[in-house]
């Protein structure tokens, strides 16, 4: 929700600059650029964390098909030994 609030603020600033012809100073532009970089970094780090979590989940938990194949193999081995 905080990121959505920042985007809303950008849209409001763009509207006031383009329609109402409000003044935008270099300091304002620097601040907007810094805020943009912050949001971009936040989104990038969240995406990387989700990818890492997904990759860890895949390596630690066998999928259903693999688990079924392993169980079938174990059953066949125990049948062969009996």
């Amino acid at each position: 929700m905080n990121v959505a609030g920042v985007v809303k603020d950008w849209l409001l600033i763009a509207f006031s600059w383009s329609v109402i012809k409000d003044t935008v100073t270099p300091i304002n532009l620097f601040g907007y650029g810094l805020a943009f970089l912050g949001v971009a970094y936040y989104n990038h780090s969240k995406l990387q964390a989700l990818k890492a979590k997904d990759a860890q989940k895949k390596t630690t938990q066998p999928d259903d098909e693999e688990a079924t194949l392993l169980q079938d193999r174990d059953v066949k081995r125990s049948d062969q030994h009996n």
Side-chain angles (χ1 to χ4, degrees):
M1 293 306 289
N2 287 337
V3 174
V6 171
V7 172
K8 177 194 62 102
D9 290 343
W10 292 341
L11 293 173
L12 181 61
I13 291 163
F15 173 79
S16 66
W17 175 73
S18 63
V19 175
I20 303 173
K21 304 298 181 201
D22 196 11
T23 307
V24 178
T25 66
I27 288 275
N28 295 130
L29 289 175
F30 177 75
Y32 303 149
L34 190 62
F36 177 78
L37 290 175
V39 170
Y41 177 74
Y42 173 80
N43 287 332
H44 175 73
S45 63
K46 287 287 267 194
L47 182 63
Q48 295 295 9
L50 286 174
K51 285 182 180 179
K53 184 178 178 182
D54 190 41
Q56 183 181 16
K57 185 185 289 187
K58 285 182 179 180
T59 59
T60 58
Q61 295 178 349
D63 62 3
D64 292 339
E65 183 178 347
E66 183 181 358
T68 303
L69 291 173
L70 291 173
Q71 288 174 352
D72 289 346
R73 183 193 67 186
D74 292 341
V75 168
K76 287 179 185 177
R77 283 184 182 173
S78 66
D79 288 344
Q80 289 174 351
H81 290 110
N82 291 333

